[in-house]
Amino acid sequence: MSVKVAVLTGFGINCDRETAAVFEMAGAKSERIHVNKLVNGEIDLQDYHIMAVPGGFSFGDHLGSGRLMGNRLRFGLREQVRKFVNDKKPIIGICNGFQVLVKMGLLPGDDDISFEQTASLTLNDSGHYEDRWVTLEFEKDSHCIWTKGLTRMRVPVRHGEGKFVTNNKKLLDKWNENGQLVVRYVDPNQQYPSKSDELLPYPISPNSSWRNIAGVCDPTGLVFGLMPHPEANHSTWLGATWTRENLFHGEGEGMVIFHNAVNYAKSQFSIND
Amino acid sequence: MSSEIQRIEVTPRVGGGLRDVRGDTIKSQLKTDHNLEILEVRSVLGYQINHELSEVQLTKLVEDLFTDPVIEVGCFNTSIFDNKEAFSETPEAVITVGFKPGVTDNRATAALDGFTTIFPDLASKVKISTSVSYVFFGLGEVDLNWLADQLHNSLIETALIADSNDCAIGDWPEIQFPELKDIEYTPPSSIDLNVSDEELIEISEKGLLALNLEEMKAIQQNYLDKNVQARRKELGLPPDKPTDVELECLAQSWSEHCKHKIFAAKITHIDRETGENSEIDSLFKTYIMQPALDMQQEVNWLLSLFHDNSGVIEWTPEWSLCMKAETHNSPSALDPFGGAMTGIVGVNRDILGTGLGARPIANTDVFCFGPPDYDGHLPEGLFHPSRVMRGVHAGVRAGGNESGIPTVNGAIVFDERYIGKPLVYCGTVGILPRHLPDGRESHIKTPEPGNLIYMVGGRVGSDGIHGATFSSLELTDESPSSAVQIGDPITQKKMVDMLLEARDLGYIEVITDNGAGGLSSSIGEMAELTGGANLDLSKVPLKQLGLSPWEILVSESQERMTVGVDEKNKQAFEELAKLHEVEATIVGEFTNSGTFLVTYGKDVVADLPIEYLHDGCPQLNLESEWTSPIHRPIIFNEETSPKEMGNILQRLIARPNIASKEWWVRSYDHEVIGQSVIKPFGGVNHDAPGDAAVIAPIPGDTKGTVISCGIVPRYSDIDAYAMAAASVDEAVRNAVCVGVDLSRIAGLDNFCWPDPVQSKKTPDGRFKLAQLVRANRALEDVCRAYSLPCISGKDSMKNDATLDGEKISVPPTLLFSLMGNHQDVTKAISSDFKNIGDAIYLVGETKQELGASELAYMFQEESEGASGIGGNVPSIDTKRNLSAYKALTKAMHAGLVESAHDCSDGGLSVAIAESCFGIDAGAKIDVSSLLVSDDMLDSWGVLFGESLGRILVSVNPDSIEEFEKMMDGIFHEKIGTVGKNDELIIMNNESEILTASITELRESWKGTLDGGA
């Protein structure tokens, strides 16, 4: 048996192919599954070990990014998703997938998995959608199973609505204490570790996200979402400045995240393959 | 219960770290484009729901659907401006914009979908429309009508204004629900063509048929044929005259847009300089198709040429690639956003309609606009170029990004002659498995008589009627608003997902796009493959009831494909469509009856023999005559100090044609699919321009594809032959810079010409046609020399606008796009200098070629016309260039080259500066060896001349010896080294000829088109 990954597709999800590919590169078996097949019961989510909500423009993001897809999952897959997390199975949302998980209330989430929205991702202060590479720094002591051992990573952001905010600032401190603020934008010219709550200037932080937050996890550390695209840096030749670097070509910096989840699933569910 | 139309309004919360970014963006754009200072702009999104709902239901909708509780405030059936939580102060003015009836409203479609998730049982009864309000504080003295004009397009939108008095008394704008009324059904009629020639022309003009007298007469003749009449009698059709359905169908099929009549014409060509007087039987067959067919004999990778929606080449034993580029010029002039968006999603469908269906993996966008800072006279009815540019850019951004297709390559060209019609080229590359799981080769369509014809995707409405014939006419004050459409990327994305799955399951026998000409073209063209088709127009799902048969047949409503499916796969195909929430309807079947038989229910409304439909259009006879235009020479200031030369470079590099387009390009997603190897920008600060895109479409595999383009319309002012040659060479050069495999490159020619047919309106038609002849000859010469077949192409031949009695014609423009193989992307080269101390080489010869150069145009503008653009326009030596490209490619693959950058617009000095930006350092250059190589060459020519075939490269000092050896016999000169400080110094032996600061150059280069928001 291998680790099985359900990669959601449909309704404007765009990054399903590369997201499926990176899990395969990390040794899992991925399937691209149309959201409706899970909602109508044709496919049982519980047959999978990992769920991924890829990036894209679900429903065109016309009513706010991720909102309609978030509702489809919140209304159509509520119990299935809750059981998935209770079974200690990891979920990742990347870019639009992250927006979906936040809008449906799964991230930053709460202990009861109540699907109550407590944060949001709003329009970048720059006022526009943008594709540019950023440097991320990861929380050292987070219990997030996806980010274990990570320090820094270079990846592209490709979004217009990536500014992480909340209407209850006390929650920010709580999430911070819980180690849920797992990944932030940093200035690559600063020595590691340089994580800071001070707002970094554009374009080091591409969206003026509060506390430079690029991604968060839930209280269990199983559900993780981030605006940047680690799956877009799956190979060294996809880097922003690889032609300037002396490289031994192979897996790109983004792959660690996917290896982490696959390795976690292997050990958690005793899969030897 | 509330009143019939429910109004919901939503606005962002502001303060405490939250902003109304939409409002801020409008504020800064008004500042950039109109120098308008406004204290604050806020935005409100409105939704109108056309159905009764209870307060409980409305509350749920506001909370669960329309408002994000964290960042927004929403309310229903009370104005949000009376809500103190949303607006603590009374606005000074509010402008509310909503769509006109029938215009695609994507936010409303999404809202209805969201509504369905929450109230599934109510959804079928509900209609939703959207609006947006701009709310102004601290406005100052501004004419609100003028301001409203800047914020909406009256062709497709309505704006309501509340001024300060209205605001004071709380009289807020309320948009009416844009109810699309059913229209009264008009049954088919017939048109009597037994009339005088004048009346025939009148029928064509009044009906927007765009057919000339000869063509109208050919139709007239057909209905006088006794055999035709006998058959028509049998079918119950008027025997001696066409129905309106038939006439419209013929007009679509025979339109310039679909039939390319000018490229197919017989041309008598006279060259006043050489004395040539010859006859050309079709430019397309002679100069484009024949060379490609000849090359097809030599290689085994040219799989499909000219007969499908795009050309297909074999890329690897497992995969093939296809590419197509289209223009969407006229619609983009009328509605830049909708026109451009429709352009990009439209060309995506050409890819989906190639073979048995290809998957789009990369977009290219090339635009030609009037200058963004244009301050000359603007005829009534035209948008300012800056507005056209913002709109087109936003349309392509939305279309590409939402579809999940990366925009990997493009260009923006500026010239005052594009203010009448902008050129909006949209291209797409697709990938197909060589073989489908069922063994069929995916590039070959396999329809059989009896296959069911499905219309898949969107519905048919009155939008987009006469698009094909409209684009075959010049733009006038009477251009129809129905020709404008707005794309719906999400409907299309669902359809693409579904059809690619259907393809792999073996359900698709034939597939094509519904673009220009709608069903009349899509089914009409596919019917050629089996020898006939039956179509029942009453089966076609409509957006509004009452459309008459001819309208259903020719409507170009978007997001539709026509698919042929074997009866045995009917159920599975329909179930798949249902899963993806895509509409798929049987509208007919393929036959081998020899005719395209169209019914409306039981009534026959058209019967068009396939052969007549496709081959009945008479060939045009045209005349062309060439004499070289005469231009004033460029005036150079002989006493120009090195510092002043630096200033000239700084001004040149800031010109819109050369300036950085980074702000615009970064708002396209160029990396979705995870395949982007060489990106639009590289270098240490990610801001140095790349020459061509390299993508590696198969995850984990280093085999790649190169995508590049070339476009230099300026040179047409001297000679369109030079223009076309330079465009092809630029595309090839750009591809060589990144390491393309020259043994597998394929091209696309996209011609955009002013009307080249001699007439009263176009007294210089013969000259413009001669330009077209020359451009085609260049295309053939260069493509043959480079073994570069054109696998697909398109032409748009009426790029003129007559407004206010003023005619503005675009300069003859050829976009040449290239797609090529890359054997190993880890060997790809980028344009940025890599290390301080690396040797800088110029590969290729420099001649005194400043005619129609960017520098010439700059001097012309700066001298207000005293200085001309005359001189030698860059000439081409394909044999010399190709050997240089081949040798350089070898050196690259051997790892001897650190950087490579194309020398084009602005010449060598611009290329050096751009490569310097990539390392954030200067360079020390000595051009004496170049000056010595050609007696005619002076400093102006060496610094700013645009000779073809030249590539600027850098080489590590340790590799110089080996590099020199590999380049033996090729013209190349070591001209300098990458410096450590900020200075660019260009010497001629001991004397400085140009000095500049790289930092200052970069600021100028980036400042011109910084987007302003």
Side-chain angles (χ1 to χ4, degrees):
Chain A
M1 192 167 93
S2 11
V3 173
K4 285 176 71 182
V5 186
V7 178
L8 300 195
T9 70
F11 304 118
I13 288 176
N14 288 333
C15 304
D16 45 325
R17 284 170 194 273
E18 60 265 39
T19 305
V22 290
F23 280 107
E24 297 260 337
M25 287 163 82
K29 277 257 165 277
S30 319
E31 271 176 56
R32 293 165 46 238
I33 300 173
H34 196 280
V35 173
N36 277 354
K37 284 193 179 172
L38 294 174
V39 174
N40 71 17
E42 197 180 324
I43 285 179
D44 188 353
L45 185 60
Q46 313 312 324
D47 291 344
Y48 297 83
H49 304 107
I50 297 172
M51 177 169 96
V53 189
F57 272 85
S58 55
F59 299 97
D61 282 353
H62 291 298
L63 270 68
S65 58
R67 183 140 195 89
L68 295 186
M69 184 63 96
N71 271 355
R72 285 243 183 172
L73 301 187
R74 190 156 62 103
F75 289 99
L77 282 182
R78 197 184 187 88
E79 292 314 315
Q80 296 190 49
V81 170
R82 186 178 277 150
K83 181 167 175 1
F84 203 79
V85 180
N86 283 334
D87 289 347
K88 299 200 174 342
K89 291 177 171 175
I91 296 177
I92 190 169
I94 301 169
C95 194
N96 194 231
F98 179 37
Q99 293 163 336
V100 167
L101 298 183
V102 168
K103 307 288 171 94
M104 70 188 279
L106 194 61
L107 280 176
D110 47 37
D111 295 332
D112 306 332
I113 316 180
S114 68
F115 293 100
E116 199 161 309
Q117 184 182 344
T118 51
S120 194
L121 290 149
T122 186
L123 292 164
N124 301 347
D125 271 8
S126 69
H128 52 92
Y129 177 100
E130 192 166 33
D131 178 341
R132 70 162 63 244
W133 281 65
V134 294
T135 303
L136 303 179
E137 191 167 295
F138 292 83
E139 188 73 27
K140 243 193 309 196
D141 307 315
S142 173
H143 58 303
C144 180
I145 67 103
W146 293 87
T147 60
K148 253 172 53 187
L150 277 165
T151 52
R152 279 189 176 178
M153 179 184 288
R154 295 174 298 175
V155 281
V157 288
R158 313 193 310 247
H159 63 248
E161 297 178 49
K163 179 180 173 182
F164 184 90
V165 297
T166 170
N167 53 355
N168 180 352
K169 291 194 179 174
K170 281 187 202 140
L171 283 174
L172 277 176
D173 293 326
K174 189 183 140 199
W175 295 328
N176 190 37
E177 279 160 33
N178 284 353
Q180 288 178 252
L181 306 181
V182 258
V183 51
R184 312 208 195 183
Y185 304 106
V186 291
D187 182 348
N189 295 321
Q190 299 292 316
Q191 285 292 310
Y192 175 85
S194 68
K195 176 194 94 176
S196 160
D197 287 351
E198 284 294 302
L199 205 58
L200 287 166
Y202 171 85
I204 295 171
S205 163
N207 48 30
S208 311
S209 200
W210 287 4
R211 299 196 184 182
N212 309 309
I213 294 166
V216 300
C217 71
D218 76 337
T220 66
L222 289 165
V223 185
F224 172 53
L226 74 172
M227 286 313 300
H229 287 271
E231 86 287 5
N233 192 1
H234 63 65
S235 299
T236 45
W237 54 84
L238 302 179
T241 50
W242 71 268
T243 58
R244 308 186 63 80
E245 293 158 21
N246 276 322
L247 283 168
F248 187 76
H249 280 292
E251 280 194 352
E253 294 171 22
M255 282 304 295
V256 182
I257 287 183
F258 308 100
H259 279 296
N260 275 344
V262 173
N263 290 337
Y264 162 86
K266 277 184 184 168
S267 86
Q268 181 72 26
F269 306 109
S270 310
I271 300 164
N272 307 318
D273 175 24
Chain B
M1 283 290 165
S2 331
S3 65
E4 181 95 15
I5 290 179
Q6 322 292 328
R7 293 177 187 277
I8 291 172
E9 288 177 308
V10 180
T11 194
R13 292 175 194 274
V14 292
L18 294 174
R19 296 170 54 182
D20 182 344
V21 171
R22 218 175 288 114
D24 292 347
T25 303
I26 293 292
K27 178 180 151 176
S28 66
Q29 285 184 359
L30 287 170
K31 168 84 180 122
T32 310
D33 296 351
H34 304 288
N35 206 19
L36 203 61
E37 295 279 3
I38 303 171
L39 186 67
E40 190 181 8
V41 183
R42 299 272 304 277
S43 69
V44 172
L45 300 179
Y47 300 87
Q48 295 83 42
I49 304 178
N50 196 357
H51 192 265
E52 288 201 2
L53 295 166
S54 69
E55 294 227 346
V56 176
Q57 287 169 325
L58 283 164
T59 306
K60 189 162 175 60
L61 284 174
V62 170
E63 285 176 359
D64 277 340
L65 179 61
F66 291 111
T67 315
D68 182 321
V70 177
I71 52 173
E72 290 169 332
V73 185
C75 64
F76 61 88
N77 294 346
T78 56
S79 178
I80 199 153
F81 304 111
D82 298 326
N83 180 333
K84 289 291 161 208
E85 196 191 350
F87 291 95
S88 55
E89 283 173 53
T90 306
E92 249 177 77
V94 176
I95 295 172
T96 300
V97 178
F99 289 107
K100 287 190 169 169
V103 177
T104 303
D105 182 347
N106 287 322
R107 184 152 56 91
T109 309
L112 186 60
D113 197 290
F115 184 99
T116 313
T117 304
I118 296 174
F119 299 122
D121 300 336
L122 275 177
S124 64
K125 299 173 201 146
V126 166
K127 284 181 189 160
I128 301 180
S129 72
T130 71
S131 60
V132 56
S133 300
Y134 305 98
V135 186
F136 300 93
F137 299 89
L139 191 52
E141 290 293 304
V142 178
D143 176 356
L144 287 176
N145 286 310
W146 173 87
L147 185 57
D149 280 347
Q150 309 313 310
L151 295 170
H152 87 294
N153 180 355
S154 59
L155 201 60
I156 54 167
E157 291 165 324
T158 322
L160 299 178
I161 299 171
D163 62 18
S164 56
N165 296 330
D166 300 327
C167 291
I169 58 166
D171 186 4
W172 310 114
E174 278 199 354
I175 284 278
Q176 291 305 304
F177 195 91
E179 183 74 57
L180 188 59
K181 300 234 163 32
D182 293 345
I183 36 186
E184 205 177 324
Y185 174 78
T186 328
S189 58
S190 54
I191 291 108
D192 188 0
L193 296 184
N194 286 316
V195 294
S196 70
D197 289 0
E198 290 74 34
E199 283 168 282
L200 282 178
I201 284 298
E202 206 186 313
I203 291 170
S204 171
E205 281 179 0
K206 273 205 174 145
L208 276 177
L209 301 178
L211 294 170
N212 67 20
L213 180 62
E214 217 178 323
E215 290 151 3
M216 287 300 287
K217 284 185 124 166
I219 297 174
Q220 182 190 49
Q221 280 307 310
N222 178 60
Y223 290 89
L224 297 175
D225 184 310
K226 291 290 168 232
N227 293 328
V228 170
Q229 291 186 347
R231 179 175 159 82
R232 294 178 65 77
K233 240 180 232 163
E234 247 171 68
L235 291 167
L237 285 164
D240 58 349
K241 49 192 165 192
T243 62
D244 55 357
V245 183
E246 289 171 324
L247 195 56
E248 288 285 346
C249 186
L250 286 167
Q252 297 301 326
S253 304
W254 294 5
S255 67
E256 175 55 42
H257 188 97
C258 296
K259 207 89 212 167
H260 309 287
K261 289 182 283 201
I262 292 169
F263 263 78
K266 192 164 278 174
I267 296 173
T268 308
H269 180 67
I270 292 171
D271 187 325
R272 290 284 168 211
E273 268 147 45
T274 62
E276 177 189 345
N277 184 339
S278 60
E279 195 164 85
I280 301 158
D281 185 6
S282 171
L283 291 170
F284 171 68
K285 283 188 186 149
T286 312
Y287 300 116
I288 299 171
M289 190 164 95
Q290 196 55 50
L293 292 177
D294 290 346
M295 285 181 243
Q296 199 175 24
Q297 302 294 314
E298 315 269 307
V299 298
N300 59 2
W301 49 268
L302 285 167
L303 297 180
S304 166
L305 296 173
F306 305 119
H307 60 81
D308 205 339
N309 289 310
S310 71
V312 185
I313 65 167
E314 184 183 79
W315 173 46
T316 71
E318 292 81 33
W319 298 98
S320 43
L321 296 169
C322 57
M323 188 174 183
K324 173 70 169 255
E326 288 264 8
T327 49
H328 227 231
N329 308 336
S330 303
S332 302
L334 296 176
D335 176 31
F337 177 80
M341 191 206 240
T342 310
I344 191 70
V345 295
V347 74
N348 293 163
R349 284 198 307 278
D350 276 318
I351 296 306
L352 183 63
T354 295
L356 294 167
R359 182 163 64 88
I361 55 167
N363 284 336
T364 63
D365 300 305
V366 175
F367 309 138
C368 302
F369 298 128
D373 56 353
Y374 179 74
D375 58 4
H377 169 66
L378 200 63
E380 189 73 25
L382 289 179
F383 291 126
H384 189 271
S386 65
R387 181 162 177 190
V388 175
M389 179 165 165
R390 277 202 199 284
V392 165
H393 173 259
V396 165
R397 181 190 64 210
N401 292 0
E402 290 178 24
S403 305
I405 303 165
T407 298
V408 301
N409 187 250
I412 311 180
V413 177
F414 299 93
D415 187 302
E416 285 191 3
R417 289 164 289 179
Y418 295 117
I419 63 167
K421 257 196 197 184
L423 303 184
V424 177
Y425 293 95
C426 298
T428 303
V429 176
I431 191 165
L432 306 102
R434 277 287 281 116
H435 295 90
L436 294 185
D438 63 18
R440 284 182 296 164
E441 286 195 282
S442 66
H443 66 280
I444 299 168
K445 298 184 197 291
T446 57
E448 295 284 343
N451 285 167
L452 303 169
I453 302 176
Y454 278 91
M455 190 180 95
V456 181
R459 297 183 148 220
V460 171
S462 55
D463 51 336
I465 287 174
H466 280 151
T469 49
F470 162 59
S471 75
S472 306
L473 297 166
E474 65 172 346
L475 196 60
T476 67
D477 309 309
E478 279 105 49
S479 297
S481 64
S482 64
V484 174
Q485 303 159 74
I486 297 176
D488 173 1
I490 294 308
T491 296
Q492 178 149 320
K493 172 74 176 152
K494 289 193 286 184
M495 175 178 76
V496 173
D497 287 352
M498 179 245 157
L499 287 173
L500 290 176
E501 212 175 313
R503 175 198 72 186
D504 291 339
L505 290 164
Y507 301 160
I508 295 178
E509 307 298 335
V510 61
I511 179 168
T512 201
D513 161 38
N514 279 294
L519 290 170
S520 78
S521 297
S522 72
I523 300 180
E525 279 166 25
M526 286 197 300
E528 232 183 334
L529 301 174
T530 59
N534 296 342
L535 166 65
D536 183 351
L537 293 170
S538 71
K539 298 272 168 58
V540 175
L542 302 179
K543 289 183 189 171
Q544 81 201 105
L545 293 178
L547 287 184
S548 57
W550 74 265
E551 290 175 307
I552 302 172
L553 186 63
V554 305
S555 166
E556 295 170 10
S557 290
Q558 295 290 300
E559 290 84 39
R560 293 180 297 145
M561 299 294 289
T562 297
V563 182
V565 175
D566 191 300
E567 174 84 43
K568 70 172 192 280
N569 294 318
K570 175 175 180 276
Q571 198 188 343
F573 185 78
E574 289 177 7
E575 274 169 17
L576 192 63
K578 200 170 155 225
L579 174 80
H580 285 264
E581 300 180 19
V582 171
E583 197 162 16
T585 314
I586 298 174
V587 296
E589 65 174 338
F590 289 105
T591 67
N592 52 10
S593 66
T595 77
F596 182 24
L597 185 73
V598 185
T599 55
Y600 187 84
K602 288 203 181 81
D603 302 328
V604 175
V605 295
D607 175 60
L608 291 162
I610 299 293
E611 212 184 295
Y612 176 65
L613 183 61
H614 293 296
D615 303 325
C617 182
Q619 190 180 27
L620 284 177
N621 285 295
L622 300 175
E623 289 172 358
S624 65
E625 189 178 318
W626 173 255
T627 37
S628 290
I630 296 159
H631 291 282
R632 266 203 297 278
I634 310 168
I635 301 171
F636 297 106
N637 181 357
E638 295 302 330
E639 303 293 317
T640 306
S641 69
K643 188 103 198 357
E644 176 51 21
M645 271 304 201
N647 287 339
I648 288 170
L649 172 59
Q650 196 170 345
R651 299 204 299 278
L652 188 66
I653 211 165
R655 284 172 66 78
N657 278 335
I658 298 178
S660 173
K661 279 88 183 170
E662 184 178 351
W663 187 90
W664 304 84
V665 171
R666 285 223 178 273
S667 65
Y668 302 135
D669 187 339
H670 53 263
E671 304 195 73
V672 58
I673 304 183
Q675 58 182 8
S676 167
V677 177
I678 297 293
K679 302 170 200 296
F681 294 93
V684 40
N685 294 319
H686 309 185
D687 62 357
D691 289 293
V694 179
I695 57 172
I698 311 299
D701 196 330
T702 59
K703 219 165 144 37
T705 300
V706 176
I707 298 148
S708 67
C709 71
I711 181 167
V712 214
R714 281 182 272 125
Y715 296 172
S716 292
D717 287 344
I718 293 180
D719 184 359
Y721 184 98
M723 182 279 290
S727 303
V728 182
D729 192 58
E730 186 182 12
V732 173
R733 230 155 53 223
N734 278 327
V736 167
C737 285
V738 297
V740 74
D741 166 10
L742 282 165
S743 72
R744 196 166 292 203
I745 50 176
L748 267 70
D749 57 284
N750 282 81
F751 288 85
C752 281
W753 234 251
D755 185 2
V757 178
Q758 185 81 16
S759 72
K760 217 188 283 170
K761 276 189 306 190
T762 311
D764 53 353
R766 284 194 194 92
F767 173 70
K768 286 170 174 166
L769 190 62
Q771 289 182 304
L772 187 65
V773 170
R774 292 180 72 82
N776 271 278
R777 287 179 171 173
L779 185 67
E780 173 178 23
D781 292 348
V782 180
C783 285
R784 279 195 192 270
Y786 289 165
S787 300
L788 170 57
C790 288
I791 57 166
S792 179
K794 204 80 196 247
D795 55 271
S796 164
M797 304 303 291
K798 307 273 169 171
N799 291 293
D800 312 274
T802 303
L803 297 151
D804 279 357
E806 210 180 312
K807 180 169 173 178
I808 309 170
S809 300
V810 304
T813 307
L814 169 67
L815 166 67
F816 194 85
S817 312
L818 181 147
M819 157 173 90
N821 180 43
H822 201 292
Q823 286 169 349
D824 179 0
V825 299
T826 63
K827 301 252 162 59
I829 305 289
S830 61
S831 72
D832 45 313
F833 288 144
K834 298 299 182 303
N835 302 294
I836 287 158
D838 280 355
I840 300 172
Y841 280 84
L842 181 65
V843 175
E845 278 176 84
T846 306
K847 307 260 181 213
Q848 185 72 8
E849 292 176 322
L850 283 156
S853 63
E854 190 64 30
L855 182 79
Y857 283 85
M858 181 170 93
F859 283 171
Q860 186 183 45
E861 280 166 36
E862 291 178 348
S863 67
E864 287 173 356
S867 178
I869 58 144
N872 291 331
V873 69
S875 59
I876 193 154
D877 179 340
T878 49
K879 202 170 155 213
R880 177 200 68 188
N881 293 354
L882 187 61
S883 359
Y885 297 160
K886 282 185 171 164
L888 182 60
T889 302
K890 242 170 119 182
M892 284 173 164
H893 287 200
L896 302 173
V897 175
E898 298 295 322
S899 74
H901 190 30
D902 167 42
C903 273
S904 54
D905 301 332
L908 176 64
S909 57
V910 168
I912 295 170
E914 288 177 342
S915 289
C916 285
F917 297 156
I919 189 173
D920 217 353
K924 193 151 188 227
I925 306 289
D926 181 354
V927 292
S928 54
S929 59
L930 301 176
L931 287 166
V932 168
S933 72
D934 189 332
D935 292 347
M936 303 299 292
L937 192 62
D938 66 14
S939 322
W940 297 99
V942 83
L943 294 176
F944 305 112
E946 298 175 359
S947 294
L948 306 180
R950 298 181 306 158
I951 294 174
L952 182 77
V953 304
S954 63
V955 176
N956 186 295
D958 296 340
S959 306
I960 286 180
E961 201 178 321
E962 218 177 325
F963 176 78
E964 291 275 3
K965 217 187 288 164
M966 274 203 169
M967 297 301 287
D968 188 33
I970 304 297
F971 191 96
H972 68 285
E973 289 291 343
K974 181 169 178 300
I975 57 167
T977 46
V978 180
K980 357 182 206 309
N981 51 29
D982 187 50
E983 250 191 324
L984 171 62
I985 303 172
I986 302 181
M987 320 273 293
N988 177 14
N989 285 322
E990 296 306 308
S991 51
E992 285 183 352
I993 57 172
L994 184 152
T995 59
S997 143
I998 288 297
T999 305
E1000 286 171 21
L1001 288 175
R1002 186 202 273 112
E1003 274 168 21
S1004 298
W1005 180 67
K1006 284 189 165 186
T1008 306
L1009 299 172
D1010 75 348

